[in-house]
């Protein structure tokens, strides 16, 4: 189960996705690596969580019920307190090259299309941490 607050020395990762199944799967995968996870089901809740938790990395879905993952990423990268926090964007919809370009232009450090290879996903997180 994902922690809402953390006091350990393990890296903390915020996962933002409106699909509970995806949030649970990502949390399980990340916690197997001994990383602490906190989750949000919307972009604004994710931003609020990031402000309070100060994670070492953020994973956000592109399509969220309130603001897009692109907007979440742009907001983080404009804020001096979080501008250096790595962001991985994920999407389950069919992507065009422009979608990835928009993600990178928003400040994302990586962009994955669901379903993705968990080994590659974990390896990329390790390199960003």
């Amino acid at each position: 189960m994902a922690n809402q607050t953390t006091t350990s020395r393990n890296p903390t990762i915020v996962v933002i996705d409106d699909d509970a199944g995806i949030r649970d799967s990502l949390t399980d995968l990340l916690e197997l690596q001994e990383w602490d996870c906190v989750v949000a089901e919307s972009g604004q809740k994710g931003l609020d969580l990031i402000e309070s938790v100060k994670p070492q990395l953020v994973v956000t879905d592109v399509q969220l019920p309130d603001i897009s993952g692109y907007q979440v990423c742009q907001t983080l990268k404009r804020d001096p307190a979080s501008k250096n926090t790595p962001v991985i964007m994920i999407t389950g919809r069919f992507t065009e090259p422009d979608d990835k370009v928009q993600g990178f232009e928003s400040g994302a450090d990586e962009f994955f299309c669901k379903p993705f290879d968990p080994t590659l996903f974990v390896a990329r997180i390790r390199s960003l941490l």
Side-chain angles (χ1 to χ4, degrees):
M1 175 151 192
N3 300 323
Q4 288 303 311
T5 60
T6 182
T7 56
S8 75
R9 294 180 161 223
N10 294 339
T12 299
I13 298 173
V14 168
V15 175
I16 308 169
D17 200 303
D18 59 328
D19 183 312
I22 299 292
R23 284 194 313 269
D24 291 346
S25 294
L26 287 172
T27 298
D28 290 346
L29 175 65
L30 299 175
E31 288 179 344
L32 282 172
Q33 308 305 311
E34 298 186 1
W35 296 323
D36 295 322
C37 293
V38 288
V39 299
E41 66 275 358
S42 72
Q44 188 56 57
K45 287 181 182 180
L47 288 171
D48 294 343
L49 193 58
I50 291 162
E51 188 175 330
S52 65
V53 172
K54 310 280 191 259
Q56 283 68 55
L57 188 132
V58 174
V59 176
T60 183
D61 191 11
V62 169
Q63 293 181 304
L64 298 167
D66 52 356
I67 61 175
S68 73
Y70 301 124
Q71 292 168 300
V72 168
C73 191
Q74 289 168 347
T75 300
L76 290 177
K77 297 303 183 173
R78 280 195 302 259
D79 184 341
S82 59
K83 71 178 184 180
N84 294 321
T85 303
V87 176
I88 294 178
M89 299 186 81
I90 57 175
T91 187
R93 70 185 183 114
F94 178 76
T95 58
E96 297 291 331
D98 289 349
D99 294 326
K100 286 187 176 185
V101 169
Q102 184 176 356
F104 291 125
E105 287 178 347
S106 298
D109 297 277
E110 187 58 84
F111 195 107
F112 282 92
C113 296
K114 300 179 230 174
F116 48 79
D117 180 320
T119 306
L120 181 59
F121 186 72
V122 167
R124 189 63 182 118
I125 290 174
R126 284 191 192 286
S127 71
L128 289 168
L129 290 174

